Amino acid sequence: MNDRKKRSSFVPWSLFFRCTLLLIFSGFTLSTVRLFFRDGFHPRLVSTWWTSPMKVIAGVSPSTPTISIQETVIFPDQALVFLKYPSSTLLFSKDDIDCIYLLPNSTKPQLKLSPVSIDCQYSNHQTVRCPRQPSGTTVSLAVKSNVNLLHGSTTLRWDSLAYEAIIDRDNTTVVFVKGLNLRSGRVSDPSKFECMYGWDLRRPKFVLWSEVASVAQEIVRCKTPLSILNSPQRFNTAIKVSVRVVGRQTLKSVAQLKVRLSIPMPSSRKQHEMCICTMLRNQARFLPEWIMYHSRIGVQRWFIYDNSSDDDIEDVVESLVGANYNVTRHVWPWIKTQEAGFSHCALRAGNSCEWIGFIDVDEFFHLPSGLSLYDVVRNQSRPSEVAELRVSCHSFGPSGLKNVPVKGVTVGYTCRLAGWERHKSVMRPEALNSSLINVVHHFHLQAGFRYANIDRNVLVINHYKYQVWEVFKEKFYRRVASYVSDWQQEQNFNSKDRTPGLGTKAVEPADWSTRFCEVEDLGLRDRVLKTFIDPKTGRLPWQDLPNEKKR
């Protein structure tokens, strides 16, 4: 007691208490502790907002010496299981484990199934996708070698969840959420929402609260607490972020702070002039043609957001990287979130890309003018306030084919609808509105920037939308965008996003191969044959990658 009184004569107890709590949460080293008692202390990294003092502070992060299930997210058709490993443990392969389905309060398996897939590239986690469990059961995992069940699962609903988080260059935390049910294309009042950080968000007394800077659609931008910004080692622990409507229950969260974007040097030119972001599911066999073609017209970097594929896409990407294409695969297991995924990609690509195009793997930039994509973008983006180029899309049909064209879509499909449909955009990432609002085809821009429509004689997108039935029926089931019609739902029958005359069932019409054919368009086909074909073998380069040989 006497010793405590002596120390309090140097530092007021209230100040000591607040600083001690701050240090517990942020994990500062002793050298950092000393900074709190110097005059003129300035944090190394400063938020653009000052976050009010913490209401309460988190404790230490728990650790476990054994493999366990960290969380399980339940989707309509699958369960996504996150595994927690000790650092020295070897990862499982798909053949090492089974998906086990249990009745409540029981350890006796009712059903055992093989995993749909297993992936070790999602945010330093290993994830297992299991078939959707039968009604009334819960899903777990068992190691085949010892038949032991893995423990520790927390089951979360996908329709009410914070699922991704990333700290932006302005030091705000961008959180991607399901369950707020905000209107598409509209900014909401940020004062109605709160953000929270902590290792265990189930205990409100042990989380750090912060204000919201903006909120729109599935994206909430939080004012990151200074204690997190000033403690880089926090990114190596399991700090989660979530959101709540003020006065309501907090959304459950699997969104961990694992990425912090760096601030580029203002005087340096970005590494790549032209990049592309895409999201796909089970379209690996179309990647080689799409990437090789776009590389020839000026694209330098590809960001592939993999929306739960199970078609060996890792091998295809690896073969492309081995052929010196700058392609990265980013695991994105969240269903019906194409808009959110494109926003996430725009944040990541902003440091290295002057311009980013947002198109699908069945969409190809075509340049009737004969220019390169870079030349068109440079010419069309004058004056400097033009930060978005909108490119019209022509929709191609099966062109009389009943089987997948062996030389690729650009050569095989040559007949399209006469009119054009919608547009896709090429953007300057630094011009995006901070809300990151987008409706797949384009983003909202900051004040002072504007878009320009590109003449279709200069640049157009060939959208191979209605391919042979074998391919199209897969597309029918794998819709990834949130704000387009779901073809299987009995609603929005007049939507332009629907397939004319198809209805809501994936049943092949007798005349499918001849539909959507109003104009013969050989422009891109002729350019591809002239530019890419090997005169000795008659083959195109994408026919010789490993994935093509397996088909």
Side-chain angles (χ1 to χ4, degrees), residues 283-302:
Q283 298 179 77
R285 61 177 173 172
F286 301 112
L287 271 180
E289 178 185 8
W290 186 75
I291 286 174
M292 288 180 172
Y293 168 78
H294 283 103
S295 173
R296 185 66 63 92
I297 67 170
V299 177
Q300 300 161 305
R301 176 82 163 84
W302 293 263

Side-chain angles (χ1 to χ4, degrees), residues 227-465:
S227 58
I228 291 177
L229 292 174
N230 294 330
S231 184
Q233 62 266 37
R234 294 302 92 200
F235 297 100
N236 297 321
T237 62
I239 289 183
K240 290 183 178 178
V241 189
S242 191
V243 176
R244 75 167 182 175
V245 180
V246 174
R248 298 184 186 177
Q249 188 175 6
T250 303
L251 294 178
K252 305 295 184 182
S253 177
V254 295
Q256 294 187 6
L257 286 179
K258 288 295 183 182
V259 179
R260 181 173 187 171
L261 301 174
S262 59
I263 302 175
M265 297 295 292
S267 60
S268 63
R269 188 163 184 82
K270 295 182 181 180
Q271 184 178 4
H272 308 298
E273 192 71 34
M274 180 60 59
C275 304
I276 286 182
C277 287
T278 196
M279 185 177 292
L280 56 77
R281 182 180 181 185
N282 291 342
Q283 298 179 77
R285 61 177 173 172
F286 301 112
L287 271 180
E289 178 185 8
W290 186 75
I291 286 174
M292 288 180 172
Y293 168 78
H294 283 103
S295 173
R296 185 66 63 92
I297 67 170
V299 177
Q300 300 161 305
R301 176 82 163 84
W302 293 263
F303 297 85
I304 310 296
Y305 274 55
D306 179 7
N307 195 213
S308 302
S309 297
D310 50 29
D311 61 351
D312 299 320
I313 186 174
E314 303 97 322
D315 296 336
V316 176
V317 170
E318 183 179 348
S319 69
L320 288 163
V321 172
N324 295 319
Y325 294 96
N326 195 345
V327 184
T328 53
R329 170 180 171 255
H330 182 84
V331 177
W332 186 264
W334 317 114
I335 62 172
K336 298 290 286 180
T337 56
Q338 187 177 33
E339 294 83 1
F342 279 178
S343 295
H344 192 274
C345 187
L347 291 172
R348 291 178 59 229
N351 262 20
S352 59
C353 303
E354 294 284 351
W355 291 85
I356 310 171
F358 297 88
I359 62 174
D360 298 330
V361 177
D362 60 356
E363 296 171 334
F364 287 71
F365 286 115
H366 173 39
L367 296 134
S369 60
L371 297 173
S372 72
L373 188 58
Y374 168 70
D375 288 336
V376 170
V377 169
R378 181 179 58 184
N379 294 339
Q380 298 290 325
S381 59
R382 298 170 183 167
S384 59
E385 66 264 20
V386 174
E388 176 192 2
L389 303 177
R390 297 187 175 182
V391 187
S392 301
C393 300
H394 283 308
S395 295
F396 281 69
S399 305
L401 302 179
K402 295 187 177 181
N403 298 306
V404 176
V406 295
K407 290 186 180 297
V409 300
T410 54
V411 174
Y413 300 116
T414 57
C415 204
R416 61 171 174 81
L417 296 174
W420 61 275
E421 290 186 335
R422 297 183 172 177
H423 65 266
K424 294 294 177 76
S425 293
V426 179
M427 313 276 310
R428 286 171 53 193
E430 63 271 14
L432 298 183
N433 185 284
S434 63
S435 67
L436 298 176
I437 289 179
N438 72 90
V439 285
V440 179
H441 310 97
H442 61 269
F443 285 79
H444 289 197
L445 300 176
Q446 297 178 33
F449 293 98
R450 64 180 180 86
Y451 69 85
N453 292 313
I454 304 299
D455 189 309
R456 291 190 289 278
N457 293 317
V458 175
L459 178 65
V460 70
I461 288 176
N462 280 16
H463 184 187
Y464 299 103
K465 183 174 182 179

